[in-house]
Amino acid sequence: MGLASAGAKQFRPTPPARGSFPIDHDGQCKSFFEAYMACVKGSNGNQRLCREQSKAYLQCRMDNGLMMKEDLKQLGFQAADQSGGGKKPQAATTTAAS
């Protein structure tokens, strides 16, 4: 049976260019994620009301090397969304000790 597969090419999977990124095993952006999810839940699933939390979460992932650095305009955030006066969005505070 080994002869049948001896000449077969090996399949080498390649990661997608976008849409997939490493899991945050160390929880570096967990508080940003939780703030976003709480916002979505509190707005009955209306994600448009949670753009600031979404932007903060994606920025955290980029800052910590969990996804490729990208201009926020390329991720759907317009210039009006980026007028934070240079302030970095705050993550939700958690009571769990790390």
Side-chain angles (χ1 to χ4, degrees):
M1 278 195 230
L3 294 176
S5 63
K9 291 183 179 179
Q10 289 279 330
F11 174 71
R12 292 183 183 244
T14 56
R18 293 179 186 231
S20 178
F21 40 81
I23 296 172
D24 186 7
H25 291 289
D26 296 328
Q28 296 167 300
C29 299
K30 184 176 181 179
S31 60
F32 291 98
F33 170 76
E34 290 172 344
Y36 171 71
M37 293 306 293
C39 178
V40 170
K41 185 176 180 180
S43 65
N44 294 319
N46 188 347
Q47 298 173 6
R48 289 181 178 220
L49 299 176
C50 304
R51 290 183 60 77
E52 286 301 314
Q53 290 84 352
S54 175
K55 182 171 72 170
Y57 175 62
L58 293 172
Q59 188 65 56
C60 177
R61 291 192 65 88
M62 287 187 278
D63 292 346
N64 288 288
L66 295 169
M67 67 182 280
M68 182 175 67
K69 289 197 182 263
E70 186 80 47
D71 184 358
L72 289 171
K73 287 182 184 178
Q74 296 296 321
L75 298 175
F77 297 98
Q78 301 302 319
D81 296 333
Q82 296 179 9
S83 61
K87 293 191 307 183
K88 203 171 195 178
Q90 296 292 319
T93 57
T94 58
T95 56
S98 4

